[in-house]
Amino acid sequence: QVQLVESGGGLVQAGGSLRLSCAASGITVNAFYMGWFRQPPGKEREFVAVISRSGGSTYFADSVKGRFTISRDNAKNTLYLQMNSLKPEDTAVYYCAAAPWSGSLYVTSGYNYWGQGTQVTVSS
């Protein structure tokens, strides 16, 4: 049974930082493309970042480029999202997800497994 469990969300002031974690079980994170998505209030889920199976490539949405980094710890089977210089518009529920192939990494349909999400709220 595959489980992805996010943690690390919370309330932070604009300009602050948070690190989200996604602990995986039932899969190994280095066998999948691992991504982060977010769903702002009243909006659709959107792509944030993804890391390749090798870990050698990362891709980010333009809105977070230069502020967020994605990484993973293979030994802990955990994915991370380091978020710096947070803005109120980063407020959303953040989800981690796993994709077996690289064909559709920027859309939700490309991912087979999802976590339950963690709330990030950035106050102005």
Side-chain angles (χ1 to χ4, degrees):
Q1 181 182 358
V2 176
Q3 279 195 311
L4 301 175
V5 180
E6 300 97 335
S7 60
L11 174 64
V12 63
Q13 288 190 329
S17 298
L18 282 175
R19 188 178 80 155
L20 305 183
S21 300
C22 172
S25 60
I27 61 168
T28 51
V29 294
N30 61 357
F32 286 76
Y33 294 86
M34 298 297 298
W36 287 97
F37 283 72
R38 67 186 182 186
Q39 188 162 14
K43 297 184 179 180
E44 293 192 350
R45 200 169 297 189
E46 62 185 24
F47 170 78
V48 175
V50 64
I51 186 167
S52 65
R53 286 184 294 201
S54 70
S57 297
T58 57
Y59 303 94
F60 297 90
D62 288 343
S63 58
V64 307
K65 206 170 291 183
R67 300 187 297 122
F68 290 12
T69 57
I70 186 171
S71 63
R72 65 172 191 238
D73 184 327
N74 293 337
K76 295 182 178 179
N77 211 30
T78 299
L79 176 73
Y80 301 101
L81 184 69
Q82 178 67 44
M83 306 186 295
N84 299 327
S85 302
L86 283 161
K87 305 175 181 180
E89 51 264 43
D90 294 319
T91 295
V93 178
Y94 283 72
Y95 299 88
C96 70
W101 304 290
S102 63
S104 303
L105 294 177
Y106 301 139
V107 294
T108 58
S109 59
Y111 293 79
N112 287 25
Y113 304 109
W114 291 85
Q116 83 290 347
T118 185
Q119 177 71 48
V120 171
T121 303
V122 184
S123 63
S124 57

